Amino acid sequence: EPEVTQTPSHQVTQMGQEVILRCVPISNHLYFYWYRQILGQKVEFLVSFYNNEISEKSEIFDDQFSVERPDGSNFTLKIRSTKLEDSAMYFCASIPTATGAFFGQGTRLTVV
Amino acid sequence: GENVEQHPSTLSVQEGDSAVIKCTYSDSASNYFPWYKQELGKGPQLIIDIRSNVGEKKDQRIAVTLNKTAKHFSLHITETQPEDSAVYFCAASKGGGATNKLIFGTGTLLAVQP
């Protein structure tokens, strides 16, 4: 069964450093999302991406965040200068046109 | 703003019993309601969904009901098994169904006791 793949599974970084989280969505899907889940809290929407551009972003997704689909397969989330409060599980999701979102297994980001 | 409330936060049942998890949503424009199961260390997995033009949907031991007037929807799991133990999240979206952002509930930790 096709699946969304995320790397790395765990990333530890120092405050102020840049991180790039990577995702390989399911190949025939058209819509891509990043969500995050702070420990013990609900899953929160960050950004949606369609047709090589951001279609919607949340208040969380400020200037420190960016997304790219550089080569037509990978979908990346970059945090330019990490803060302690960026520590969370980050989930990538992809969607075909008509069914529910398929989530990756997540990247646990720990900012120290 | 958009909000989804979910209850209970934890639920413990005996194997073979039924489990019911309830959610309410605030945005009347919401029209797509998926349920996700999240096992430890894994991402959310879609288990069932319902659209606003349907009142009930069933898939083997899992069913979802939707009351648009009251703006609430529920997940029903019958004949629970230990492997049903996980965190369950409800979610809602609007404007075209699956392609819009999901607003998640706070999750329910379901423990099925053998």
Side-chain angles (χ1 to χ4, degrees):
Chain A
E1 184 176 325
E3 58 182 18
V4 176
T5 306
Q6 289 185 243
T7 55
S9 56
H10 191 189
Q11 174 92 44
V12 181
T13 189
Q14 292 213 326
M15 192 168 53
Q17 295 296 304
E18 174 183 286
V19 294
I20 298 176
L21 311 182
R22 291 182 167 81
C23 169
V24 179
I26 296 173
S27 62
N28 61 343
H29 287 189
L30 302 177
Y31 299 83
F32 312 107
Y33 295 78
W34 284 100
Y35 289 82
R36 79 171 185 190
Q37 185 179 31
I38 294 172
L39 188 63
Q41 298 186 23
K42 65 169 72 176
V43 178
E44 301 174 289
F45 167 77
L46 291 178
V47 65
S48 59
F49 193 85
Y50 171 70
N51 202 24
N52 287 321
E53 62 182 21
I54 290 174
S55 48
E56 187 174 0
K57 58 184 180 180
S58 73
E59 294 173 352
I60 303 167
F61 195 88
D62 61 21
D63 292 345
Q64 294 300 311
F65 290 86
S66 63
V67 288
E68 268 192 330
R69 196 155 184 250
D71 56 10
S73 61
N74 292 286
F75 180 49
T76 62
L77 174 69
K78 182 192 291 186
I79 309 175
R80 289 187 183 82
S81 178
T82 49
K83 301 188 280 284
L84 294 176
E85 54 264 38
D86 293 328
S87 295
M89 282 289 286
Y90 288 80
F91 292 106
C92 172
S94 70
I95 302 178
T97 55
T99 61
F102 291 78
F103 282 80
Q105 81 281 15
T107 293
R108 179 170 297 284
L109 176 65
T110 303
V111 182
V112 296
Chain B
E2 302 153 328
N3 190 42
V4 175
E5 299 287 338
Q6 183 172 347
H7 300 280
S9 56
T10 59
L11 180 59
S12 181
V13 300
Q14 290 292 319
E15 183 177 358
D17 287 350
S18 294
V20 180
I21 302 170
K22 299 181 179 181
C23 289
T24 58
Y25 58 98
S26 61
D27 191 339
S28 56
S30 297
N31 57 10
Y32 174 69
F33 308 93
W35 285 89
Y36 286 86
K37 176 183 181 182
Q38 186 177 26
E39 295 174 320
L40 196 62
K42 296 185 179 181
Q45 180 186 13
L46 178 69
I47 56 171
I48 195 167
D49 57 12
I50 191 168
R51 298 181 190 276
S52 59
N53 58 346
V54 175
E56 184 173 357
K57 184 176 178 180
K58 189 173 182 181
D59 182 4
Q60 299 182 339
R61 296 186 296 109
I62 295 173
V64 57
T65 59
L66 171 64
N67 183 327
K68 284 190 296 181
T69 304
K71 292 192 285 188
H72 65 68
F73 57 113
S74 301
L75 177 71
H76 305 252
I77 306 174
T78 59
E79 301 171 30
T80 52
Q81 300 165 3
E83 51 266 38
D84 293 330
S85 297
V87 178
Y88 290 80
F89 289 96
C90 63
S93 75
K94 62 182 181 181
T99 56
N100 284 276
K101 68 180 181 186
L102 296 169
I103 305 299
F104 281 86
T106 47
T108 296
L109 175 61
L110 174 64
V112 180
Q113 309 296 333

